[in-house]
Amino acid sequence: MKTNRLSESVTQVLNKQLLMEAHAAQIYLSYAIWADSEGYDGISDFLLRHADEERDHMTKVMQYMMLRGGKPKIEAIPAPPEDPTSIYECFHKVLEHEVNNTNGVYNCVNAAFEEKDWATWNFMQWFVKEQVEEETFALDLIDKIEIAGGVEAPKAALYIINQELMSKSGEAPSAEDATADSPV
Ligand SMILES: [Fe+2]
Ligand SMILES: [Fe+2]
Protein backbone atom coordinates (compact mmCIF):
# COMPACT_ATOMS: atom_id res chain seq x y z
CA MET A 1 0.00 0.00 0.00
CA LYS A 2 1.53 3.30 -1.09
CA THR A 3 -0.69 5.82 0.73
CA ASN A 4 0.15 5.96 4.41
CA ARG A 5 -2.84 6.30 6.74
CA LEU A 6 -0.75 6.09 9.90
CA SER A 7 0.49 9.24 11.65
CA GLU A 8 4.11 9.62 12.72
CA SER A 9 3.32 9.07 16.42
CA VAL A 10 1.15 6.00 15.77
CA THR A 11 3.84 4.56 13.48
CA GLN A 12 6.40 5.06 16.23
CA VAL A 13 4.47 3.23 18.94
CA LEU A 14 3.44 0.42 16.58
CA ASN A 15 7.09 -0.06 15.58
CA LYS A 16 7.98 -0.15 19.26
CA GLN A 17 5.28 -2.75 19.91
CA LEU A 18 6.47 -4.83 16.96
CA LEU A 19 9.93 -4.92 18.50
CA MET A 20 8.50 -5.66 21.95
CA GLU A 21 6.64 -8.72 20.65
CA ALA A 22 9.81 -9.94 18.89
CA HIS A 23 11.75 -9.39 22.12
CA ALA A 24 9.08 -11.30 24.08
CA ALA A 25 9.51 -14.23 21.66
CA GLN A 26 13.28 -14.20 22.25
CA ILE A 27 12.77 -14.11 26.03
CA TYR A 28 10.45 -17.12 25.90
CA LEU A 29 12.90 -18.97 23.66
CA SER A 30 15.76 -18.33 26.07
CA TYR A 31 13.66 -19.37 29.09
CA ALA A 32 12.54 -22.51 27.22
CA ILE A 33 16.17 -23.45 26.58
CA TRP A 34 17.00 -22.79 30.22
CA ALA A 35 14.06 -24.92 31.46
CA ASP A 36 15.11 -27.76 29.19
CA SER A 37 18.70 -27.54 30.43
CA GLU A 38 17.34 -27.93 33.98
CA GLY A 39 15.41 -31.06 32.95
CA TYR A 40 11.93 -29.47 32.84
CA ASP A 41 10.88 -30.59 29.38
CA GLY A 42 7.17 -29.83 29.94
CA ILE A 43 7.82 -26.26 31.08
CA SER A 44 10.24 -25.84 28.18
CA ASP A 45 7.63 -27.07 25.72
CA PHE A 46 5.08 -24.66 27.17
CA LEU A 47 7.45 -21.71 26.87
CA LEU A 48 8.41 -22.67 23.32
CA ARG A 49 4.78 -22.70 22.25
CA HIS A 50 4.43 -19.29 23.84
CA ALA A 51 7.42 -17.93 21.92
CA ASP A 52 5.57 -18.83 18.69
CA GLU A 53 2.54 -16.89 19.89
CA GLU A 54 4.64 -13.79 20.53
CA ARG A 55 6.11 -14.01 17.07
CA ASP A 56 2.58 -14.21 15.65
CA HIS A 57 1.77 -11.02 17.57
CA MET A 58 4.77 -9.34 15.96
CA THR A 59 3.58 -10.38 12.50
CA LYS A 60 0.06 -9.18 13.28
CA VAL A 61 1.32 -5.65 14.08
CA MET A 62 3.56 -5.67 11.01
CA GLN A 63 0.76 -6.75 8.67
CA TYR A 64 -1.65 -4.18 10.08
CA MET A 65 0.88 -1.40 9.50
CA MET A 66 1.35 -2.49 5.88
CA LEU A 67 -2.40 -2.74 5.39
CA ARG A 68 -2.65 0.93 6.42
CA GLY A 69 0.08 1.98 4.02
CA GLY A 70 2.80 2.17 6.67
CA LYS A 71 6.32 0.81 6.37
CA PRO A 72 7.15 -1.11 9.54
CA LYS A 73 10.72 -0.98 10.69
CA ILE A 74 12.53 -4.18 11.60
CA GLU A 75 15.14 -3.36 14.21
CA ALA A 76 17.71 -5.32 16.17
CA ILE A 77 16.10 -7.34 18.93
CA PRO A 78 17.68 -6.71 22.34
CA ALA A 79 19.28 -9.73 24.01
CA PRO A 80 17.07 -11.66 26.39
CA PRO A 81 17.76 -11.17 30.12
CA GLU A 82 19.87 -13.53 32.23
CA ASP A 83 18.54 -17.04 32.81
CA PRO A 84 16.28 -17.35 35.83
CA THR A 85 17.73 -19.13 38.85
CA SER A 86 14.62 -21.19 39.65
CA ILE A 87 11.20 -22.10 38.26
CA TYR A 88 9.80 -19.73 40.88
CA GLU A 89 11.84 -16.85 39.47
CA CYS A 90 11.10 -17.91 35.91
CA PHE A 91 7.32 -17.72 36.43
CA HIS A 92 7.58 -14.35 38.19
CA LYS A 93 9.71 -12.99 35.33
CA VAL A 94 7.12 -14.23 32.84
CA LEU A 95 4.49 -12.10 34.59
CA GLU A 96 6.85 -9.10 34.65
CA HIS A 97 7.44 -9.40 30.89
CA GLU A 98 3.73 -9.74 30.19
CA VAL A 99 2.92 -6.63 32.25
CA ASN A 100 5.59 -4.71 30.28
CA ASN A 101 3.99 -5.91 27.09
CA THR A 102 0.56 -4.80 28.30
CA ASN A 103 2.00 -1.33 28.95
CA GLY A 104 3.32 -1.28 25.37
CA VAL A 105 -0.14 -2.19 24.08
CA TYR A 106 -1.68 0.59 26.21
CA ASN A 107 0.80 3.09 24.74
CA CYS A 108 -0.46 2.15 21.28
CA VAL A 109 -4.09 2.55 22.38
CA ASN A 110 -3.31 5.95 23.92
CA ALA A 111 -1.51 7.18 20.77
CA ALA A 112 -4.38 6.00 18.56
CA PHE A 113 -6.86 7.74 20.86
CA GLU A 114 -4.93 11.01 20.78
CA GLU A 115 -4.72 10.94 16.98
CA LYS A 116 -8.39 9.92 16.72
CA ASP A 117 -7.10 7.01 14.65
CA TRP A 118 -10.05 4.74 15.37
CA ALA A 119 -8.90 2.05 12.94
CA THR A 120 -5.70 1.55 14.95
CA TRP A 121 -7.59 1.95 18.21
CA ASN A 122 -9.96 -0.81 17.11
CA PHE A 123 -7.13 -3.02 15.89
CA MET A 124 -5.35 -2.66 19.24
CA GLN A 125 -8.41 -3.83 21.17
CA TRP A 126 -7.55 -7.38 20.06
CA PHE A 127 -4.22 -6.95 21.87
CA VAL A 128 -5.88 -5.48 24.96
CA LYS A 129 -8.00 -8.63 25.19
CA GLU A 130 -5.07 -10.88 24.36
CA GLN A 131 -3.02 -9.33 27.18
CA VAL A 132 -5.76 -10.13 29.67
CA GLU A 133 -5.35 -13.77 28.61
CA GLU A 134 -1.58 -13.52 28.70
CA GLU A 135 -1.57 -12.04 32.19
CA THR A 136 -4.06 -14.69 33.32
CA PHE A 137 -1.79 -17.46 32.11
CA ALA A 138 1.17 -15.84 33.92
CA LEU A 139 -0.86 -15.38 37.13
CA ASP A 140 -1.92 -19.01 36.85
CA LEU A 141 1.72 -20.09 36.68
CA ILE A 142 2.39 -18.11 39.85
CA ASP A 143 -0.61 -19.71 41.59
CA LYS A 144 0.74 -23.14 40.66
CA ILE A 145 4.21 -22.46 42.02
CA GLU A 146 2.85 -20.79 45.18
CA ILE A 147 0.60 -23.80 45.91
CA ALA A 148 3.61 -26.05 45.27
CA GLY A 149 5.52 -24.22 48.03
CA GLY A 150 6.78 -21.02 46.40
CA VAL A 151 10.51 -20.59 46.31
CA GLU A 152 10.83 -23.69 48.52
CA ALA A 153 8.72 -25.88 46.17
CA PRO A 154 9.96 -29.47 46.45
CA LYS A 155 11.15 -31.35 43.36
CA ALA A 156 8.12 -33.65 43.46
CA ALA A 157 5.78 -30.67 43.11
CA LEU A 158 7.88 -29.20 40.27
CA TYR A 159 7.71 -32.57 38.55
CA ILE A 160 3.89 -32.41 38.59
CA ILE A 161 3.89 -28.82 37.24
CA ASN A 162 6.29 -29.90 34.52
CA GLN A 163 4.01 -32.77 33.48
CA GLU A 164 0.96 -30.55 33.56
CA LEU A 165 2.49 -27.96 31.22
CA MET A 166 3.55 -30.50 28.64
CA SER A 167 1.84 -30.01 25.28
CA LYS A 168 -1.42 -31.93 24.98
CA SER A 169 -0.33 -33.16 21.55
CA GLY A 170 2.76 -34.53 23.22
CA GLU A 171 0.67 -36.76 25.47
CA ALA A 172 0.88 -40.51 25.06
CA PRO A 173 -1.55 -41.63 22.35
CA SER A 174 -4.35 -43.92 23.40
CA ALA A 175 -4.79 -47.43 22.00
CA GLU A 176 -7.99 -46.22 20.31
CA ASP A 177 -5.92 -43.94 18.06
CA ALA A 178 -3.80 -46.81 16.78
CA THR A 179 -3.89 -47.68 13.10
CA ALA A 180 -2.01 -50.22 11.03
CA ASP A 181 0.29 -47.45 9.75
CA SER A 182 0.86 -45.91 13.14
CA PRO A 183 0.52 -48.37 15.97
CA VAL A 184 0.68 -46.90 19.47
FE1 LIG B 1 2.42 -10.74 22.74
FE1 LIG C 1 2.73 -12.46 25.84
Side-chain angles (χ1 to χ4, degrees):
M1 211 75 64
K2 200 99 202 294
T3 308
N4 191 354
R5 297 281 291 124
L6 299 172
S7 72
E8 191 53 46
S9 64
V10 167
T11 301
Q12 254 181 32
V13 283
L14 288 179
N15 269 330
K16 223 171 155 187
Q17 190 58 30
L18 194 157
L19 184 61
M20 208 173 218
E21 300 289 353
H23 189 215
Q26 298 294 87
I27 293 169
Y28 281 112
L29 283 182
S30 77
Y31 283 9
I33 293 168
W34 169 79
D36 181 72
S37 74
E38 294 287 313
Y40 298 106
D41 55 351
I43 295 172
S44 174
D45 183 71
F46 178 81
L47 294 168
L48 269 182
R49 277 180 280 136
H50 208 81
D52 282 348
E53 260 194 47
E54 299 296 359
R55 203 160 186 290
D56 284 350
H57 295 165
M58 180 204 77
T59 313
K60 214 174 167 70
V61 175
M62 196 186 89
Q63 284 175 329
Y64 171 75
M65 292 176 80
M66 293 194 291
L67 186 76
R68 301 297 289 155
K71 190 164 180 274
K73 203 161 182 227
I74 299 299
E75 289 182 277
I77 305 168
E82 297 281 295
D83 282 347
T85 52
S86 62
I87 296 296
Y88 178 85
E89 196 195 350
C90 175
F91 288 179
H92 279 81
K93 288 276 176 200
V94 162
L95 176 64
E96 214 177 280
H97 296 309
E98 287 301 338
V99 170
N100 280 341
N101 210 324
T102 302
N103 290 336
V105 166
Y106 289 176
N107 286 339
C108 295
V109 175
N110 288 338
F113 186 89
E114 268 168 30
E115 294 284 320
K116 294 194 167 49
D117 176 351
W118 306 123
T120 300
W121 187 90
N122 187 50
F123 166 73
M124 287 311 299
Q125 295 310 304
W126 182 89
F127 282 87
V128 171
K129 199 162 156 258
E130 176 69 9
Q131 281 311 115
V132 173
E133 279 177 29
E134 301 268 274
E135 287 187 15
T136 303
F137 106 80
L139 291 167
D140 187 52
L141 287 179
I142 291 177
D143 279 354
K144 282 191 205 313
I145 196 78
E146 290 296 346
I147 290 167
V151 75
E152 306 278 304
K155 288 259 189 271
L158 294 177
Y159 175 80
I160 294 169
I161 293 177
N162 181 66
Q163 293 306 106
E164 210 188 304
L165 292 178
M166 183 73 82
S167 161
K168 291 242 186 311
S169 60
E171 277 175 4
S174 73
E176 278 175 354
D177 299 330
T179 62
D181 288 341
S182 85
V184 174

